[in-house]
Amino acid sequence: MKWKRFPRPRAHLPRPARPAPRGAQSRARPPASCARPRRPAPPGPDPRRGPAMAKRSSLSIRIVEGKNLPAKDITGSSDPYCIVKVDNEPIIRTATVWKTLCPFWGEEYQVHLPPTFHAVAFYVMDEDALSRDDVIGKVCLTRDTLAAHPKGFSGWAHLTEVDPDEEVQGEIHLRLEVVRGPGPCRLRCSVLEARDLAPKDRNGASDPFVRVRYNGRTQETSIVKKSCYPRWNETFEFELEEGAAEALCVEAWDWDLVSRNDFLGKVVFNVQRLWAAQQEEGWFRLQPDQSKSRRGEGSLGSLQLEVRLWDETVLPSGCYQPLVQLLCHEVKLGTQGPGQLIPLIEETTSTECRQDVATNLLKLFLGQGLAKDFLDLLFQLELGRTSEANTLFRSNSLASKSMESFLKVAGMRYLHGVLGPIIDRVFEEKKYVELDPSRVEVKDVGCSGLHRPQTEAEVLEQSAQTLRVHLGALLSALSRSVRACPAVVRATFRQLFLRVRERFPGAQHENVPFIAVTSFLCLRFVSPAIMAPKLFHLRERHADARTSRTLLLLAKAVQNVGNMDTPASRAKEAWMEPLQPTVRQGVAQLKDFITKLVDIGEKEELDLQRALSLQAPPVKEGPLFIHRTKGKGPLMSSFKKLHFSLTTEALSFAKTPNSKKSALIKLANIRAAEKVEEKSFGSSHVMQVIYEDDAGKPQTIYLQCKCVNELNQWLSALRKMSISNPGLLGSYHPGIFRGDKWSCCHQKDKSDLGCDKTRSRVTLQEWNDPLDHDLEAQLIYRHLLGVEAMLREKQRELSAAGTEAGSALRGSGEAPKDPLAQLFQVLQDLREAHRSSPASVPPSETNRLLELQT
């Protein structure tokens, strides 16, 4: 039978009859003889399962720096920044580093993803104020590449040219079957629909059609205008010769009237496998055209990255209880425990992973209410092996790393309250500050009077005065913040202060307890935050060169105060001498502050913790634009700026941050939080929150953010706060219902289920995220598996030496059991639980569909 091709529509021609609704298709079962797999439903959480095991994937990303980038501006330089995309979805934008070809970012991110993601790409862009930003190049890392590096990918990668034929995204829904009859066999290919295609036109959409090629014949679907979520429902047939090695190629294209058509992606199938399967249906990921030779590698510069993929199967909470109870029991016993399990874990942990282990242990014990006891145990261990007071907590021990993590987890909001106003003032003033005479540049200062440049002495005096003001403001803010400091932080510093004073008594060590506290509070917390405010979430952008120098000098002054103005700290940089009077005054202020900070009893600790918990701050807040979607025409002046606040109860809004808030959406009623395609509102930074009103009817609100980072931060916060809600949607419409149809897929049924899958599991790790106890326990279990051999060797050494742990191991049944033996039994039980976990078995349906593709 010869296939007749209709002319392509230039206007709106009648479309082929649409099949029965999906619900009707699923209810009407075909006979067993011709049964085929149902259309795969978009992935979404199942509210019936509860807290069962789950496969979780996350990416640890550190974008370090770039080098030898090409110049894109007429000045011979560039203004580079990075965009990070996961499966072509932008999730991160770094700060712009101005006027350089060797930018340094040093930004770190943690991204939680579904296990089915395919690749992460890093695009280096050049920011332009008056025109579209230029693309410099990209680095793409597939999931398989990251999985082949268990310790993470680290190093320099060459930027490659961005080829439009390789910039594809989305999936296509196909049904393939071998039709046998009295005549020759036929290959039937039904092109049903596609989703999330790349927008190739200026209007933020595409005009897609599909080209099917097999055995020298080519057939095409009709064109769907202005849609990245087209539906065709068209079927094509080809004569099929048994044993033929020809592949079936399905290509998606964007139709253009004047220029050449744009490539949207393709899927190639192995027809040989269809003979056995007879019939297959599913969503297939569109692949790029890689037939062209790669150009530009090495000539576009390089990017230094550190990327690590974490794949974890998290078991139900009950499976981790024996491990958690064992570790908590060891912490409660302190240094008098029979096996001292925590010291053995520290001894067998390598330096490169000590920070991760410290963070995981700290979060685990923080969730169990034992963070103070855990850190107190580490303090005692550190003090027990320290003989000189001036070397206390100077190494990268488990105690130092755990305390750093503790302050970032428990004290970050406190840091923002104390340091935030001072940092904002430095950024707003943009004053030239320099104390080193060898670095003074008078020309950068300008004139102090009419046509008279400042002298070097005037520059140094003015700089010293500026730093005195900032340092005085910071110390005053610290002195007033005792009651604002979290109770658990105060209690931990109290334990540290008392332990150090016991270990180093006497008048000659009078300042040692204070220096022990400031070594963490000032040197490892406040000073790093001053030098890199963006990394501590105090600012959205990196500081420019002038502001960075001011922050660096201020951080040096804070370090001198934290060192209690010792002669060693003064001798390092003599040009810091003009600040010494302020530093000496600050030492007295800081000692008075620490004395009040550690003066907290158990009752006051509980009362303060209870009072602070009643004043729980919002999870996320900030100004957003709310859009209206009424009417059929284009949206003109259809948005209003309001201040939104997300709490654990609701999403509310007000005219200003200090105005009375009105509850807009109850958190329990949220069903999805997703992005909106660019063409709907002319912006790529719009999100939609789908919820149910008090009457149970679905409603949607559209909110516009100012940048891609703010958009993803709001989406992450909303998704994490509503992840346990019943009735979460598995699909949605990325467009809006304007007039009588959806702008994304052109469907006229407003209650249509949706043309794209939701992405509720794509979130960013934030500093104020709630603790995930099961995940922390799983990460600790995985680490203990890696050092199990060393722990067994330690057990043999303890037994051979006749230590208390070895005696307990050889003793009678009434003697306490060796904690190492208990630990090995717990690890064995968890190992068996993982082996029997359904989440550890790859889905056969997905594998079978992948095997069809070549």
Short mmCIF file of all heavy atoms in Angstrom, two decimals, residues 32 37 59 96 100 126 156 164 184 186 242 292 367 399 435 445 532 571 603 697 724 796:
data_model
loop_
_atom_site.label_atom_id
_atom_site.label_comp_id
_atom_site.label_asym_id
_atom_site.label_seq_id
_atom_site.Cartn_x
_atom_site.Cartn_y
_atom_site.Cartn_z
N ALA A 32 -6.18 -10.28 25.60
CA ALA A 32 -4.86 -10.74 26.03
C ALA A 32 -3.95 -11.00 24.84
O ALA A 32 -2.73 -10.85 24.93
CB ALA A 32 -5.00 -12.00 26.90
N PRO A 37 1.85 -2.84 26.61
CA PRO A 37 2.05 -2.06 27.83
C PRO A 37 1.25 -0.77 27.78
O PRO A 37 1.14 -0.13 26.74
CB PRO A 37 3.55 -1.78 27.85
CG PRO A 37 4.16 -2.76 26.91
CD PRO A 37 3.11 -3.07 25.91
N LEU A 59 23.81 15.82 43.28
CA LEU A 59 25.07 16.27 42.70
C LEU A 59 25.71 17.30 43.62
O LEU A 59 25.06 18.28 43.99
CB LEU A 59 24.84 16.89 41.32
CG LEU A 59 24.58 15.95 40.14
CD1 LEU A 59 24.27 16.77 38.90
CD2 LEU A 59 25.75 15.03 39.89
N THR A 96 28.57 36.99 38.07
CA THR A 96 29.39 37.47 36.95
C THR A 96 30.70 38.04 37.49
O THR A 96 30.70 38.81 38.46
CB THR A 96 28.65 38.56 36.17
OG1 THR A 96 27.42 38.02 35.67
CG2 THR A 96 29.48 39.05 34.99
N THR A 100 37.46 40.06 32.82
CA THR A 100 38.55 39.10 33.01
C THR A 100 38.39 37.95 32.04
O THR A 100 37.27 37.63 31.60
CB THR A 100 38.57 38.57 34.46
OG1 THR A 100 39.65 37.65 34.60
CG2 THR A 100 37.27 37.87 34.80
N ASP A 126 29.03 35.18 28.39
CA ASP A 126 29.56 36.54 28.54
C ASP A 126 28.38 37.49 28.68
O ASP A 126 27.54 37.58 27.78
CB ASP A 126 30.42 36.92 27.34
CG ASP A 126 30.77 38.40 27.33
OD1 ASP A 126 31.32 38.87 28.34
OD2 ASP A 126 30.46 39.08 26.33
N TRP A 156 40.44 20.08 35.25
CA TRP A 156 40.17 21.03 34.17
C TRP A 156 39.51 20.31 33.00
O TRP A 156 39.90 19.20 32.65
CB TRP A 156 41.46 21.69 33.70
CG TRP A 156 42.04 22.64 34.70
CD1 TRP A 156 42.97 22.37 35.65
CD2 TRP A 156 41.71 24.02 34.85
NE1 TRP A 156 43.25 23.49 36.38
CE2 TRP A 156 42.49 24.53 35.91
CE3 TRP A 156 40.84 24.89 34.18
CZ2 TRP A 156 42.42 25.85 36.31
CZ3 TRP A 156 40.78 26.21 34.59
CH2 TRP A 156 41.55 26.68 35.64
N PRO A 164 24.06 24.04 17.65
CA PRO A 164 22.60 23.99 17.77
C PRO A 164 22.02 22.59 17.56
O PRO A 164 21.00 22.24 18.15
CB PRO A 164 22.13 24.95 16.66
CG PRO A 164 23.28 25.88 16.45
CD PRO A 164 24.50 25.05 16.68
N PRO A 184 3.11 -9.04 2.95
CA PRO A 184 4.37 -8.82 3.66
C PRO A 184 4.13 -8.12 5.00
O PRO A 184 3.16 -7.36 5.16
CB PRO A 184 5.17 -7.93 2.69
CG PRO A 184 4.15 -7.27 1.83
CD PRO A 184 3.03 -8.25 1.69
N ARG A 186 4.51 -5.49 7.98
CA ARG A 186 4.62 -4.04 7.94
C ARG A 186 5.08 -3.53 9.31
O ARG A 186 4.71 -4.07 10.35
CB ARG A 186 3.28 -3.39 7.57
CG ARG A 186 2.76 -3.81 6.20
CD ARG A 186 1.51 -3.04 5.82
NE ARG A 186 0.45 -3.14 6.82
CZ ARG A 186 -0.38 -4.16 6.92
NH1 ARG A 186 -0.27 -5.20 6.09
NH2 ARG A 186 -1.32 -4.17 7.84
N GLU A 242 11.99 -9.29 6.87
CA GLU A 242 12.55 -10.00 8.02
C GLU A 242 14.06 -10.19 7.83
O GLU A 242 14.52 -10.62 6.77
CB GLU A 242 11.88 -11.37 8.19
CG GLU A 242 12.26 -12.06 9.48
CD GLU A 242 11.36 -13.25 9.75
OE1 GLU A 242 10.43 -13.50 8.94
OE2 GLU A 242 11.59 -13.93 10.76
N LYS A 292 28.54 15.31 13.34
CA LYS A 292 29.53 16.32 13.00
C LYS A 292 30.76 16.16 13.88
O LYS A 292 30.68 15.69 15.00
CB LYS A 292 28.94 17.73 13.22
CG LYS A 292 27.72 18.02 12.36
CD LYS A 292 27.21 19.42 12.64
CE LYS A 292 25.97 19.73 11.82
NZ LYS A 292 25.46 21.10 12.10
N GLY A 367 19.89 15.97 65.19
CA GLY A 367 18.51 15.51 65.13
C GLY A 367 18.12 14.68 66.33
O GLY A 367 16.92 14.61 66.69
N ALA A 399 37.14 17.04 65.48
CA ALA A 399 36.55 18.07 66.34
C ALA A 399 36.44 19.40 65.62
O ALA A 399 35.39 20.06 65.66
CB ALA A 399 37.39 18.22 67.61
N LEU A 435 45.53 49.80 53.59
CA LEU A 435 46.46 50.09 54.68
C LEU A 435 47.90 49.79 54.32
O LEU A 435 48.81 50.28 54.98
CB LEU A 435 46.07 49.28 55.93
CG LEU A 435 44.74 49.63 56.60
CD1 LEU A 435 44.53 48.76 57.84
CD2 LEU A 435 44.68 51.10 56.99
N VAL A 445 41.39 56.92 44.10
CA VAL A 445 40.64 57.57 45.17
C VAL A 445 39.89 58.78 44.68
O VAL A 445 38.81 59.09 45.14
CB VAL A 445 41.61 57.96 46.32
CG1 VAL A 445 40.87 58.62 47.44
CG2 VAL A 445 42.36 56.73 46.79
N ALA A 532 34.07 36.03 52.11
CA ALA A 532 33.29 35.45 51.01
C ALA A 532 31.81 35.47 51.38
O ALA A 532 31.21 34.44 51.68
CB ALA A 532 33.75 34.03 50.72
N ALA A 571 52.99 40.87 64.73
CA ALA A 571 54.26 40.89 64.00
C ALA A 571 54.10 40.51 62.54
O ALA A 571 55.00 40.75 61.74
CB ALA A 571 55.26 39.95 64.68
N LYS A 603 18.50 25.22 82.80
CA LYS A 603 17.13 25.75 82.76
C LYS A 603 17.03 26.90 81.78
O LYS A 603 16.08 26.99 80.99
CB LYS A 603 16.72 26.20 84.15
CG LYS A 603 15.26 26.70 84.24
CD LYS A 603 14.91 27.09 85.65
CE LYS A 603 13.44 27.51 85.73
NZ LYS A 603 13.11 28.60 84.80
N LYS A 697 -11.58 22.97 44.73
CA LYS A 697 -11.41 23.18 43.30
C LYS A 697 -9.96 23.54 43.00
O LYS A 697 -9.33 24.30 43.75
CB LYS A 697 -12.33 24.31 42.82
CG LYS A 697 -13.81 23.97 42.95
CD LYS A 697 -14.67 25.10 42.41
CE LYS A 697 -16.15 24.77 42.51
NZ LYS A 697 -17.00 25.88 42.00
N SER A 724 5.30 15.91 51.29
CA SER A 724 4.49 14.87 51.94
C SER A 724 2.99 15.06 51.75
O SER A 724 2.20 14.30 52.31
CB SER A 724 4.80 14.83 53.45
OG SER A 724 6.17 14.55 53.66
N ARG A 796 41.08 -6.47 66.09
CA ARG A 796 42.08 -7.52 66.35
C ARG A 796 43.23 -6.98 67.20
O ARG A 796 43.74 -7.67 68.09
CB ARG A 796 42.60 -8.08 65.02
CG ARG A 796 41.61 -9.00 64.32
CD ARG A 796 42.25 -9.73 63.16
NE ARG A 796 42.57 -8.83 62.06
CZ ARG A 796 41.74 -8.57 61.05
NH1 ARG A 796 40.54 -9.15 61.02
NH2 ARG A 796 42.10 -7.77 60.08
#
